[in-house]
Amino acid sequence: EENGHQDKRLKRDADEEDAEDRNKKSPKRKIVLLMAYSGKGYHGMQRNVGSSQFKTIEDDLVSALVQSGCIPEDHGEDMKKMSFQRCARTDKGVSAAGQIVSLKVRLIDDILEKINNHLPSHIRILGLKRVTGGFNSKNKCDARTYSYMLPTFAFAHKDHDVQEEVYRLDRETLEKVNKLLACYKGTHNFHNFTSQKGPRDPSAKRYIMEMYCGEPFVRENVEFAVIKVKGQSFMMHQIRKMIGLVIAIVKGYAADSVIERSWGEEKVDVPKAPGLGLVLERVHFEKYNRRFGNDGLHEPLEWTEEEEKIAVFKEQYIYPTIINTEREEKSMANWLNTLSIHDFNSSAVGMQANNKNSK
């Protein structure tokens, strides 16, 4: 029996030495992972170490990286050790079809399969590419494209009594929506579209390349449409507020001129559309691709081969979540009922004075 125990101990010691040898043989390499996830039930992408009650996408990702043997356990506790960087910090409930993270890992065999085996089905790693040692997915990203899927009854005028399942968006309203969305193109001061910036903060200036609403389509008897927006970078809640203001104008709660006024220094009351329909579609690395994409050592960060997997994931996890949650929780319908309490005509200072007087 004693010999048996000794044999087991020797075997365990040998296994541990083998694992160490393997780790020495597979040095860490800088890579990017292409991620897709359904964000419902998560408090955004970014991990908050030490606050376990708010579960994030990165909590599940880091756990899968450790369990699959790509990174040592202590790297999970201190993400700087693996040079981890996410390209975009998606907010609570927001999904992604083309999120990119950069990090150093051990390039083990069947790495994608092994990571995915330790992830829930609504989070998938769809692709992997080697990148330069100094690559940082946030700093090297030139632009981000988001989509926002919403039921089209959101655009019905407030004075019309609308049955949600019967409503269909007419051509004239769609044209008005697109005319308003186009006003956001170019560089503007978006301080009114986030809660964190003052009017003179230079970082509130953001550059929007395109923004438009596509053709409507019907799912589960309700008509939906998808708004696409491509910009250099976005601030917290910025896209939801940009869409919220357009909805308020199309519904007749606010004048068209509010958009123009919001670029100025005064505080404008801008409503924030629900987070449910927002999806990070793709991130763009045009400068990096021009410099390193064809240097013979690195691949361009384009995901043509993964397009089909991305489309399948959206159909399987992202769209059904948005549609079913909208039907069950009515997040858009409930939010539309709050638009009447916003004051689009006066500045915030005026509103505070009015509130004091009414009190």
Side-chain angles (χ1 to χ4, degrees):
E1 278 188 3
E2 279 183 8
N3 284 347
H5 280 305
Q6 204 168 355
D7 288 347
K8 275 184 188 165
R9 194 164 62 245
L10 288 170
K11 186 177 183 305
R12 192 173 66 232
D13 291 347
D15 285 348
E16 281 172 9
E17 278 175 24
D18 280 353
E20 275 179 34
D21 286 347
R22 271 203 310 276
N23 294 344
K24 281 173 191 156
K25 280 177 199 158
S26 53
K28 292 208 191 76
R29 294 282 178 255
K30 193 60 158 305
I31 60 156
V32 294
L33 295 175
L34 171 69
M35 284 185 81
Y37 51 83
S38 169
K40 190 185 178 188
Y42 288 88
H43 281 257
M45 171 73 184
Q46 190 172 0
R47 194 167 189 220
N48 305 308
V49 178
S51 103
S52 54
Q53 77 265 37
F54 297 125
K55 195 177 186 193
T56 69
I57 299 291
E58 280 173 22
D59 287 329
D60 280 356
L61 173 63
V62 169
S63 166
L65 291 169
V66 171
Q67 287 175 285
S68 60
C70 298
I71 60 167
E73 204 156 333
D74 63 331
H75 286 29
E77 294 307 310
D78 182 1
M79 292 166 79
K80 285 195 199 82
K81 285 185 178 170
M82 55 172 164
S83 309
F84 185 93
Q85 186 56 258
R86 87 244 0 123
C87 188
R89 232 177 16 188
T90 52
D91 292 340
K92 179 183 173 186
V94 175
S95 297
Q99 169 75 285
I100 297 285
V101 297
S102 56
L103 67 159
K104 282 183 177 160
V105 298
R106 295 191 199 106
L107 282 175
I108 57 175
D109 294 335
D110 306 319
I111 182 168
L112 290 193
E113 194 185 331
K114 283 175 182 163
I115 299 171
N116 281 326
N117 284 344
H118 293 286
L119 283 169
S121 56
H122 55 265
I123 303 177
R124 290 290 93 179
I125 306 297
L126 302 178
L128 176 153
K129 288 183 195 288
R130 287 276 303 275
V131 284
T132 55
F135 184 86
N136 175 314
S137 62
K138 186 179 170 207
N139 299 347
K140 293 278 185 260
C141 179
D142 323 294
R144 296 152 177 87
T145 298
Y146 281 84
S147 67
Y148 188 86
M149 184 174 171
L150 75 171
T152 57
F153 63 72
F155 296 124
H157 197 278
K158 65 179 172 63
D159 297 338
H160 298 164
D161 190 18
V162 167
Q163 285 178 295
E164 292 164 10
E165 295 207 343
V166 179
Y167 182 81
R168 295 295 179 260
L169 189 63
D170 59 67
R171 182 64 36 196
E172 198 183 331
T173 309
L174 181 59
E175 279 169 14
K176 174 156 191 182
V177 168
N178 275 320
K179 194 170 147 224
L180 290 167
L181 292 173
C183 298
Y184 289 122
K185 288 202 285 196
T187 302
H188 300 286
N189 184 344
F190 282 98
H191 73 97
N192 272 307
F193 294 82
T194 185
S195 53
Q196 305 161 317
K197 312 268 180 197
R200 299 192 180 182
D201 188 331
S203 69
K205 282 208 165 63
R206 300 288 159 131
Y207 173 51
I208 304 296
M209 298 157 187
E210 59 177 7
M211 193 164 186
Y212 63 91
C213 181
E215 291 294 322
F217 52 92
V218 175
R219 292 281 168 97
E220 311 271 333
N221 296 331
V222 177
E223 188 180 68
F224 287 85
V226 173
I227 293 170
K228 285 262 175 82
V229 55
K230 181 180 180 183
Q232 223 163 26
S233 60
F234 298 94
M235 298 175 291
M236 190 178 181
H237 302 149
Q238 182 185 337
I239 297 170
R240 289 163 61 188
K241 281 181 170 264
M242 289 161 79
I243 290 167
L245 188 54
V246 166
I247 291 172
I249 295 169
V250 175
K251 289 189 82 64
Y253 288 104
D256 295 25
S257 57
V258 177
I259 294 184
E260 203 63 39
R261 213 175 84 221
S262 71
W263 313 139
E265 289 204 358
E266 69 168 312
K267 193 90 183 98
V268 175
D269 184 10
V270 177
K272 178 176 71 193
L276 175 67
L278 192 59
V279 179
L280 173 62
E281 285 285 335
R282 61 171 49 208
V283 287
H284 308 265
F285 297 96
E286 283 138 27
K287 280 197 202 99
Y288 173 87
N289 287 345
R290 278 199 297 275
R291 188 165 172 203
F292 296 108
N294 300 308
D295 65 359
L297 294 168
H298 304 94
E299 301 170 88
L301 294 182
E302 285 159 358
W303 306 94
T304 325
E305 288 170 28
E306 287 76 13
E307 288 292 347
E308 199 175 321
K309 284 194 241 171
I310 292 171
V312 168
F313 185 88
K314 287 201 294 200
E315 287 296 337
Q316 211 170 347
Y317 293 99
I318 295 179
Y319 293 157
T321 301
I322 294 172
I323 293 161
N324 295 336
T325 308
E326 184 54 56
R327 291 186 71 186
E328 287 160 23
E329 298 176 15
K330 301 210 173 300
S331 58
M332 180 57 77
N334 293 335
W335 175 77
L336 292 171
N337 292 333
T338 68
L339 284 176
S340 58
I341 61 175
H342 288 270
D343 185 342
F344 297 99
N345 299 318
S346 58
S347 68
V349 180
M351 279 164 62
Q352 283 161 3
N354 291 344
N355 288 347
K356 274 184 190 161
N357 293 342
S358 60
K359 276 175 191 168

